Amino acid sequence: MSLDEHWMREALSEAQTALTEDEVPVGAVVVKENELVSKAHNLSRQNNDPSEHAELLALREAQQKLGSLADCTLYVTMEPCAMCVGAMVLMKLPRLVFGAFDPSCGCTGSRIDMTDHWFYHSVETWGGVLETECSALLAEFFQRKR
C-alpha cells in the first residue's frame, strides 16, 4: 500500500464517521512528514453551516497547530469545491490528494481547475486515490436520502 493510500484510508475513516452522523460522508486529514496533524469530517448538516466542510475544518486545525502548512498534504475523500480550494490556495497548501471526483462541483479539474495557475499559489493535485471506496460511501449516503 502506498503512503497516499494509507492516508486516504484515514480520511475514509473520518468519512465513515460522517455517514454514521447523517452527514455527507467526506473525511479529510492533514499530514506533515508522514505524521497526522489534523483530521475532520463534514459537519454542515449538524451545525447548520454550509461552510463546515471536512477540508476546511482539517486545514484550520492544522494551521492553528503549525502556523504554516508548508510540507503538508491534505487527503480528502471527495474532490474539493471552490470554497475549499480557495482556502488551500490562501493557506499555501503545497499538495492535495483526493478520492472521488465531483463532476458537479469539483474545482480541481472536474468543473474547473483552481489549483493550477489561477492565483499566486498552485496546489499540486492528485485525484482518484481509492476512488471506488470513496465513491461508494457517497453513493450509499445519497441512496439513503432518496
Side-chain angles (χ1 to χ4, degrees):
M1 176 187 329
S2 74
L3 282 177
D4 286 345
E5 290 173 343
H6 168 78
W7 290 113
M8 187 60 72
R9 290 203 185 285
E10 290 291 320
L12 271 164
S13 177
E14 282 295 307
Q16 185 64 52
T17 300
L19 182 66
T20 62
E21 295 175 3
D22 198 35
E23 289 282 351
V24 176
V26 177
V29 298
V30 175
V31 175
K32 180 175 182 167
E33 298 172 356
N34 205 32
E35 295 289 328
L36 180 68
V37 176
S38 62
K39 61 183 180 176
H41 58 274
N42 276 3
L43 293 173
S44 298
R45 293 166 60 88
Q46 285 181 49
N47 295 336
N48 195 29
D49 182 347
S51 72
E52 292 209 357
H53 289 192
E55 303 96 301
L56 281 182
L57 297 172
L59 287 168
R60 285 178 189 150
E61 182 180 337
Q63 183 82 31
Q64 288 174 349
K65 285 181 178 179
L66 301 174
S68 166
L69 297 182
D71 301 318
C72 289
T73 299
L74 171 68
Y75 294 88
V76 62
T77 57
M78 188 169 93
E79 182 180 5
C81 70
M83 174 182 68
C84 293
V85 174
M88 290 174 218
V89 169
L90 292 172
M91 292 178 173
K92 297 183 182 173
L93 180 77
R95 186 167 184 262
L96 163 69
V97 177
F98 69 87
F101 289 85
D102 183 359
S104 62
C105 294
C107 289
T108 65
S110 288
R111 292 299 274 172
I112 61 171
D113 187 354
M114 293 173 55
T115 61
D116 190 20
H117 307 294
W118 271 66
F119 305 104
Y120 63 92
H121 175 75
S122 296
V123 181
E124 178 186 349
T125 304
W126 297 92
V129 175
L130 301 181
E131 180 179 6
T132 302
E133 293 94 326
C134 294
S135 295
L137 273 182
L138 291 160
E140 180 181 342
F141 174 81
F142 288 110
Q143 187 174 27
R144 287 181 187 178
K145 296 297 172 192
R146 291 184 187 133

